[in-house]
Amino acid sequence: MKPKILILNGPNLNMLGQREPDVYGTESLGDIQIRCQERADTLDLDIDFRQSNHEGDLVEWIQEAGKSSAGGLILNAGAYTHTSIAILDALRAVDVPVIEVHLSNIHRREAYRSTSYISQASDGMICGFGGLGYELALDALANMLNSAK
Ligand code: CA2
């Protein structure tokens, strides 16, 4: 059976491609999902790609990843990155590799975006590469899974 990678997207990421193209690019979240599917096929991984504007959904999906022993988690928690101890606690409670992704370089923007609670529970973080960052995160997880064999 192929390892299952859960790819979670937080608030407002459903708006991608419709506003702020200078910051987030012109790709929609649907375009990014297609990129991920194509990359996952190459890496022989299964993906489950989701988005929610609600913090509790993200917490429950992280718990679900733990219960189902997912092969890995890719998380762009959107603005919750900078505020959510609930998501940090959920990540700390699961034994699943976590890669944090951001489309923009959060360290080159407003100072409040430089703080990530998520990073404290992540194996690695990729930011500033737009939709490519999700593919790089899949590469990283595939590498981690192969090294663990
Ligand atoms: O760079 C990223 O991926 C972020 O996680 C995106 C979040 C932002 O709050 C983080 O600081 C960095 C925001 C996603 C909202 O994206 C929009 C896209 C189009 C229109 C409005 C918002």
Side-chain angles (χ1 to χ4, degrees):
M1 216 168 71
K2 295 183 194 177
K4 162 85 74 72
I5 308 298
L6 201 51
I7 305 177
L8 303 183
N9 296 280
N12 295 309
L13 285 159
N14 55 314
M15 303 289 288
L16 275 184
Q18 296 175 36
R19 287 180 188 201
E20 302 196 64
D22 45 322
V23 182
Y24 299 118
T26 53
E27 276 186 311
S28 68
L29 197 61
D31 295 331
I32 293 176
Q33 180 170 1
I34 291 168
R35 261 175 182 265
C36 287
Q37 188 59 63
E38 288 174 356
R39 191 74 201 137
D41 289 345
T42 311
L43 296 168
D44 216 24
L45 298 171
D46 268 337
I47 61 163
D48 185 345
F49 192 98
R50 304 182 191 178
Q51 187 275 332
S52 176
N53 293 323
H54 305 281
E55 189 175 21
D57 286 343
L58 296 167
V59 167
E60 285 177 6
W61 290 342
I62 292 164
Q63 291 177 1
E64 187 185 315
K67 284 182 199 139
S68 67
S69 301
L73 190 57
I74 295 173
L75 176 60
N76 183 350
Y80 288 140
T81 303
H82 320 297
T83 63
S84 180
I85 296 168
I87 292 176
L88 170 61
D89 287 345
L91 291 172
R92 282 193 168 139
V94 298
D95 191 17
V96 173
V98 178
I99 311 289
E100 175 182 359
V101 168
H102 298 285
L103 298 158
S104 62
N105 179 352
I106 57 172
H107 301 295
R108 210 168 69 171
R109 301 183 62 194
E110 300 92 334
Y112 59 81
R113 291 189 204 272
S114 270
T115 301
S116 166
Y117 285 103
I118 308 304
S119 291
Q120 293 181 39
S122 302
D123 292 275
M125 196 264 262
I126 297 165
C127 74
F129 296 101
L132 172 65
Y134 287 73
E135 290 188 63
L136 298 174
L138 281 167
D139 286 349
L141 282 174
N143 220 282
M144 289 166 79
L145 291 167
N146 284 332
S147 308
K149 272 181 191 164

